[in-house]
Amino acid sequence: MSFGDIGAGALRAALALSLWGLGAAAYAGWRRDARALASARAVAIGAFLLVLAADLAMVGALLRHDFSLVYVAQNNALATPAFYSAISLWAALAGSILLWTLILAGAVLYVALRGTRSLPRLATVALAVLFAMLSFFLALVTTAAADPFTRIAAEAIPTDGTGPNPLLQNHPLMALHPPLLYLGYVLTSIPFAYAIAALILGETSDRWLTETRKAALASWALLGVGIVAGAWWSYAVLGWGGYWAWDPVENAAIMPWLTATAYLHSVMVEEKRRLLRTWNIALVIATFALTILGTFLTRSGVVNSVHSFTQSAIGPLLLGYFVAILVLGAGLLLYRLDDLADQGSVGAPLSREAIFLFQNVLFVAATLTVLLGTLYPLIAEAASGAQLSIGAPYFDRVEVPIGLALLFLMGIGPQLPWHGASRATLERQFTGPLVVAAAGAVVAVLAGMTGVGPVLTYALAAFVTATVVQEFARGVRARRALHGESPAAAFVALFTRNGRRYGGYVVHLGIVMIVVAIASSQARTVELERTLAPGGAMDVAGYHITFAGLRDIPEPQRLTTVADLVITGNGASEQLHPGLVTYPNSQSAIGSPGIAAGSRNDIYTILAAYDGTGQAWATIRVRVIPLVSWLWAGGAVVGIGALLAAWPPKRRAAAVRAPVAEAVGAE
Amino acid sequence: MSTTRWVIVAALLAIGLALAWSARSGPLTAEQRVDRISAELRCPVCQGLSVRDSPSDTARSMRALVAQRVAEGRTDDEIRAEFQRSYGDWILLEPPLVSPTGLVWLAPLAAITLGAWLAVRRSRAPAPAVDAPTDEQTRRLREQVASEPE
Amino acid sequence: MRRIARYVAVALIVGLALTLTLAFRRDPHDIRTGTVGKPAPAFALPSLTDGSTISLDQYKGKVVVLNFWASWCIPCKEENPALTDVWERYRGTDVVLLGIVFQDSVEAARDYTARLGNTWPSVIDADGRVALSYGVFGPPETYFVGTDGIIAGRHIGPIDEPTLITGIETLRQSATR
């Protein structure tokens, strides 16, 4: 039995089980039948194990270079190292859908085992929804749409494969970026399934929100970190010196992240004030729908992008799935609209819930503009045949002001009380941060930043940081007064007692780091390109770069030509080796940059061209990019903050302590 | 006015001045012009990268052409038009059909305005402002809580 | 309010679905250049063989097939037999085949021509300006210029013999009319 047989068989068995599970869970939800639920649970375990077996079978086939499978022949070669062979599981369409299916099966398992124990009825219906989704994806991988185990006819089996796309074997980060993103994408289906279940059952309570809070936070964090990982890959591997190009597929990933961020905040309004329920359900549906839209845009080939895989029948199927989700979600929501009406209204414009509402509006506006910008070329061409491009200039111009407004709200929102704030409160809360903001603006001007955007960014970043520090200080002070703890213990206790709030503040700090990194790297990057002979040198922003010579590095699967550079000046002493990599089956060379990362500047070097015949000259491009490392560090901080926010709070007699605690500012 | 108010005014003034100072823009150098124009041209052989960012040969020869035209004294529009003649509207990352008065610019503005209006409508009745407790109240509450059994 | 919400939701979903479905009709790789239908940009470039200058207007009144290529370009090798056959067929007639090398070095280009035994003339576009003026995306690319000097058509990617002959014959016939 070959890997291909195991995999194909496992997937088909899983599909059968999944359909059974759909029926069983639906019946169990409808008739509250315990036996049907038990059978659905068993099926969930079985389906997960089968899909896992299929994924492992594909990895096995890749490691063994089994070229009788089309997928292996197209994405693997005898010369491919084992690590890259294994991660080629997600190198192309069929394999990546297989990975997606595995994660989805995991989500089904989680809801079947954990979810049904806490909220039986709701979770059972949600389980049925998830089984339906799993069945769809299993149908994709068992039919011509995306079957990874398609065989090559016995007489045509090649002796060697074409190998993975060169871009995908250049960097170990390929191991991280897609799985992180897929985890983020797929986990949004859990809140979605519960929301649909709540609508079907006419649930008016908000219990499903609390239940799915972990899944929502997890998917948001994984998606966010996955996007930052993608930006890092773009920066470190693609070699053009930037990290974000408003590529349609980048846009497809950030749209659900934006709506998920909006959701994480508006959910707090629902929990505290029982408002915005319709809005929250709409956000959950939109987030999930956007992940499918993103998959559709990536896989269908309708937009030309770095990620576009070849066109296949999967396009129309994903489009149909997307429309079905929208129709189902919107239909159910409109059906239940009256039941979900809010009782009570949002407080004064300067209350926390109002700020959250404004923030939500901005996030949704940002999402819609990204969507419009991405789809507009398609619309224009369909309508008038005109071919146009919408790129960075448009997106930057629209999204930067929205981002700055959001940054401002991020500073004032958490500091305002629910219901409204008095003038005295405002003065007490914001005077300090305002002064820090002014200092930030002055620092920006002195650092030579030009343009209103960057200076405003620095001012707002300083403002938000000051508010966060203020909150931590206040929290520590309150705990010390209440419990007499040492500052360190009080600080830690802030996270163990109220991880959601203080973890959230850490996330905000991470976002501030990212925003400052973006503003600095966009506004103050210095660049120079020169053609040098060996021994020649160039000077950029105080750095002295000497070109020592060209060198060839032959490897079994590729040939790399590097330029040896020595960097001095500004206290730096580095050796960088930017190169151009040629793979046997690709005509163009892939650039591999030489980067010296630093906490203040990155020195980014590119070998743009070189003398192929005599190695007598090389065109070197150097970019000095300030503060870009803060982007990656900020991403890590966001991840840590999300973990802290997920920390289960230790609550004792919370109902009694809550109003008191709130008054003294420890909550 | 209390000290706090003065401080607030001073801070806002400082920020305003900093912004005004940063907003001033002198005439651009030739290199800045080349950069700006290149950032608005799409590299034909890359996926959505601008001519400024792309390290490809085609982008580099396009940049060289832009630099030459800037040195010859052509305007930004003339330079962009030259590329449009060769490659069509597609080469512009900010297409002319979608100029500042076009739909794509109105849409975000409309979305935000509509959303803000709906949001403000939701927050109509200002609830009585809840004051933060005074220090005296806080002290008494703390005593009360501290004396409660754990 | 409910009714408006319903209509808006339906309109948005239908609109989105329609847009995305229409998107299937286009091929993202099919990008139309601005130069088709316009006069072919003039040029005067050094010949690959002896460095003498060859200019476009010395072919005025003839059907001109311009083929942009480079020695490192693998599809260029693939289309070479088609070009050779067409050159043999139309040699000495009013049809001209001219190669334009760009993003390449003279030595590598000469080496390529010698290795493949190509006999039709090629010129070298050292700074790539001529390629830019034609709106070239990348080698190989072939342009069909009619006797009136207007670019009648363009083919991106390796070209085959039938396409070449169809293009040439169409231009010859419209010239005699």
Side-chain angles (χ1 to χ4, degrees):
Chain A
M1 261 254 280
S2 74
F3 286 120
D5 294 325
I6 298 174
L11 287 177
R12 281 150 183 81
L15 176 58
L17 281 185
S18 177
L19 289 168
W20 173 279
L22 167 60
Y27 185 75
W30 181 32
R31 289 301 185 91
R32 300 178 193 257
D33 186 311
R35 276 196 334 175
L37 179 57
S39 125
R41 281 212 189 105
V43 157
I45 299 175
F48 176 73
L49 290 173
L50 284 169
V51 178
L52 181 62
D55 277 63
L56 290 175
M58 177 51 82
V59 174
L62 286 164
L63 287 171
R64 291 280 202 85
H65 308 298
D66 179 357
F67 298 123
S68 68
L69 295 175
V70 172
Y71 187 78
V72 180
Q74 288 176 342
N75 293 291
N76 190 265
L78 291 169
T80 312
F83 177 75
Y84 289 107
S85 289
I87 68 173
S88 292
L89 171 62
W90 48 84
L93 176 65
S96 56
I97 301 284
L98 188 60
L99 176 65
W100 182 295
T101 311
L102 175 63
I103 302 173
L104 188 53
V108 169
L109 186 64
Y110 175 76
V111 172
L113 296 183
R114 290 284 307 274
T116 51
R117 293 201 201 285
S118 22
L119 287 180
R121 187 113 193 272
L122 204 56
T124 310
V125 179
L127 186 61
V129 175
L130 285 167
F131 266 122
M133 291 194 237
L134 183 61
S135 306
F136 172 75
F137 276 91
L138 282 169
L140 285 182
V141 290
T142 49
T143 58
D147 187 350
F149 295 106
T150 320
R151 297 190 154 287
I152 301 180
E155 57 277 6
I157 295 178
T159 42
D160 196 0
T162 40
N165 184 323
L167 279 176
L168 302 175
Q169 357 176 22
N170 248 357
H171 201 280
L173 204 61
M174 264 320 281
L176 219 51
H177 166 58
L180 280 175
L181 271 186
Y182 289 3
L183 278 167
Y185 282 153
V186 176
L187 287 179
T188 63
S189 52
I190 296 181
F192 174 77
Y194 272 87
I196 296 294
L199 289 173
I200 292 176
L201 292 174
E203 268 284 324
T204 46
S205 84
D206 300 330
R207 287 176 305 160
W208 66 274
L209 285 183
T210 336
E211 184 70 11
T212 56
R213 184 197 299 182
K214 281 246 173 55
L217 183 59
S219 73
W220 173 87
L222 290 164
L223 206 48
V225 173
I227 290 171
V228 173
W232 191 16
W233 184 77
S234 177
Y235 180 74
V237 178
L238 288 185
W240 56 281
Y243 43 80
W244 189 265
W246 297 107
D247 180 85
V249 167
E250 289 172 338
N251 297 349
I254 203 153
M255 286 191 285
W257 185 83
L258 290 171
T259 53
T261 313
Y263 173 70
L264 282 184
H265 292 85
S266 62
V267 121
M268 288 188 233
V269 177
E270 180 162 349
E271 286 176 4
K272 280 276 162 21
R273 301 277 328 272
R274 291 200 50 124
L275 297 169
L276 304 183
R277 288 151 76 213
T278 322
W279 178 254
N280 280 323
I281 294 184
L283 275 179
V284 166
I285 295 172
T287 306
F288 178 68
L290 284 169
T291 64
I292 302 299
L293 179 64
T295 314
F296 166 73
L297 286 177
T298 320
R299 311 266 175 243
S300 62
V302 294
V303 283
N304 212 2
S305 148
V306 179
H307 289 77
S308 275
F309 301 101
T310 50
Q311 257 159 311
S312 94
I314 204 172
L317 288 170
L318 280 174
L319 179 59
Y321 186 60
F322 173 68
V323 174
I325 288 166
L326 275 187
V327 168
L328 176 70
L332 280 171
L333 188 57
L334 289 171
Y335 174 59
R336 295 283 187 200
L337 209 49
D338 296 318
D339 300 331
L340 293 169
D342 287 344
Q343 292 108 18
S345 65
V346 173
L350 275 180
S351 63
R352 194 182 301 183
E353 60 267 32
I355 298 298
F356 277 25
L357 191 53
F358 291 136
Q359 175 238 48
N360 264 244
V361 166
L362 286 173
F363 269 117
V364 170
T367 310
L368 288 176
T369 52
V370 172
L371 185 62
L372 183 62
T374 309
L375 293 181
Y376 195 81
L378 298 178
I379 302 173
E381 186 163 357
S384 68
Q387 285 179 329
L388 10 118
S389 309
I390 294 195
Y394 166 76
F395 289 110
D396 287 343
R397 210 179 285 207
V398 175
E399 302 294 339
V400 166
I402 294 180
L404 288 174
L406 282 169
L407 197 55
F408 174 63
L409 293 181
M410 195 161 89
I412 64 175
Q415 300 267 291
L416 292 175
W418 300 98
H419 295 282
S422 68
R423 194 172 278 189
T425 312
L426 290 176
E427 280 183 17
R428 183 192 321 212
Q429 303 277 53
F430 295 118
T431 311
L434 206 54
V435 171
V436 177
V442 170
V443 163
V445 168
L446 291 176
M449 305 269 259
T450 48
V452 172
V455 172
L456 195 52
T457 308
Y458 266 50
L460 288 172
F463 181 72
V464 174
T465 310
T467 60
V468 170
V469 167
Q470 201 172 269
E471 281 291 292
F472 272 106
R474 193 174 292 146
V476 168
R477 253 207 320 271
R479 284 208 69 85
R480 297 195 65 201
L482 264 175
H483 301 282
E485 288 166 344
S486 69
F491 185 74
V492 170
L494 287 176
F495 290 105
T496 55
R497 290 306 177 96
N498 201 344
R500 190 191 207 185
R501 182 184 181 113
Y502 291 94
Y505 288 148
V506 173
V507 169
H508 282 185
L509 283 181
I511 300 286
V512 166
M513 289 173 73
I514 291 175
V515 168
V516 168
I518 294 175
S520 306
S521 57
Q522 300 287 62
R524 287 196 304 127
T525 294
V526 182
E527 181 179 301
L528 193 61
E529 184 175 292
R530 285 278 180 273
T531 305
L532 301 171
M538 53 198 280
D539 289 283
V540 190
Y543 293 102
H544 185 75
I545 297 110
T546 318
F547 168 48
L550 289 168
R551 203 169 26 103
D552 277 340
I553 306 176
E555 281 173 274
Q557 77 273 30
R558 60 191 180 185
L559 170 68
T560 314
T561 307
V562 297
D564 291 314
L565 302 174
V566 179
I567 323 270
T568 51
N570 279 351
S573 170
E574 304 276 353
Q575 284 187 21
L576 294 176
H577 314 282
L580 283 166
V581 189
T582 10
Y583 288 85
N585 286 307
S586 169
Q587 75 175 32
S588 50
I590 315 277
S592 131
I595 309 175
S599 55
R600 291 191 58 205
N601 286 318
D602 270 28
I603 306 170
Y604 193 102
T605 59
I606 302 171
L607 176 61
Y610 62 94
D611 177 12
T613 43
Q615 300 203 334
W617 56 265
T619 305
I620 311 283
R621 195 200 254 197
V622 178
R623 275 191 174 191
V624 177
I625 311 176
L627 295 189
V628 69
S629 331
W630 287 30
L631 234 179
W632 327 126
V637 171
V638 167
I640 294 171
L643 277 174
L644 291 169
W647 200 280
K650 288 188 234 165
R651 289 200 182 279
R652 280 173 293 176
V656 171
R657 294 176 81 80
V660 178
E662 192 168 301
V664 299
E667 156 73 25
Chain B
M1 240 187 353
S2 69
T3 334
T4 321
R5 304 267 168 98
W6 276 116
V7 169
I8 293 175
V9 168
L12 286 173
L13 212 57
I15 295 174
L17 283 174
L19 290 176
W21 176 259
S22 64
R24 88 206 185 293
S25 52
L28 297 171
T29 66
E31 199 159 318
Q32 284 172 323
R33 275 192 71 202
V34 172
D35 246 9
R36 255 248 297 259
I37 300 172
S38 308
E40 291 171 14
L41 292 172
R42 182 175 186 167
C43 164
V45 298
C46 319
Q47 315 279 11
L49 278 186
S50 70
V51 163
R52 185 188 66 178
D53 289 330
S54 166
S56 70
D57 284 335
T58 309
R60 286 171 49 240
S61 55
M62 283 171 81
R63 264 204 310 278
L65 182 54
V66 171
Q68 183 184 326
R69 295 288 185 249
V70 166
E72 288 170 2
R74 302 288 175 87
T75 67
D76 287 9
D77 283 333
E78 283 172 341
I79 300 175
R80 277 193 291 265
E82 181 173 354
F83 286 101
Q84 257 177 294
R85 269 196 304 276
S86 304
Y87 287 94
D89 287 340
W90 179 88
I91 200 79
L92 299 178
L93 284 171
E94 211 175 28
L97 296 171
V98 197
S99 66
T101 52
L103 165 74
V104 188
W105 297 100
L106 279 182
L109 214 54
I112 295 176
T113 317
L114 179 67
W117 176 72
L118 286 170
V120 167
R121 257 184 39 147
R122 302 287 318 276
S123 58
R124 45 201 127 96
V130 179
D131 278 306
T134 65
D135 291 322
E136 178 56 34
Q137 289 171 320
T138 314
R139 194 187 56 77
R140 272 194 274 122
L141 277 168
R142 282 203 183 130
E143 282 172 356
Q144 206 173 336
V145 168
S147 63
E148 279 172 8
E150 284 290 313
Chain C
M1 193 54 191
R2 303 282 113 95
R3 199 170 291 170
I4 303 175
R6 258 176 256 264
Y7 289 152
V8 168
V10 169
L12 282 176
I13 294 177
V14 169
L16 194 54
L18 215 63
T19 305
L20 295 173
T21 319
L22 285 173
F24 277 114
R25 289 192 354 194
R26 73 183 280 269
D27 176 7
H29 297 285
D30 166 35
I31 301 171
R32 298 186 294 274
T33 301
T35 49
V36 175
K38 297 203 185 118
F43 60 82
L45 294 174
S47 141
L48 195 59
T49 40
D50 56 11
S52 61
T53 309
I54 300 182
S55 71
L56 182 62
D57 37 307
Q58 70 194 59
Y59 299 122
K60 205 180 262 191
K62 300 201 178 161
V63 172
V64 183
V65 178
L66 295 169
N67 175 256
F68 287 87
W69 62 276
S71 62
W72 45 262
C73 152
I74 297 175
C76 298
K77 287 195 192 70
E78 288 169 14
E79 68 171 7
N80 209 65
L83 291 168
T84 313
D85 287 343
V86 166
W87 171 241
E88 291 304 312
R89 186 177 165 134
Y90 289 100
R91 203 167 181 168
T93 66
D94 59 338
V95 177
V96 175
L97 173 63
L98 181 66
I100 306 183
V101 186
F102 72 117
Q103 291 179 7
D104 206 356
S105 69
V106 178
E107 299 82 38
R110 281 199 184 132
D111 183 59
Y112 175 94
T113 318
R115 257 188 302 126
L116 294 173
N118 294 345
T119 46
W120 64 89
S122 270
V123 291
I124 184 138
D125 180 16
D127 56 9
R129 293 289 167 84
V130 175
L132 285 182
S133 69
Y134 275 79
V136 173
F137 284 92
E141 227 167 282
T142 312
Y143 287 77
F144 295 88
V145 184
T147 52
D148 51 2
I150 308 282
I151 299 179
R154 174 190 72 151
H155 183 96
I156 303 182
I159 197 167
D160 56 13
E161 211 172 316
T163 317
L164 276 165
I165 296 178
T166 314
I168 293 171
E169 289 303 323
T170 316
L171 286 177
R172 288 178 103 195
Q173 278 162 17
S174 57
T176 53
R177 256 187 262 117

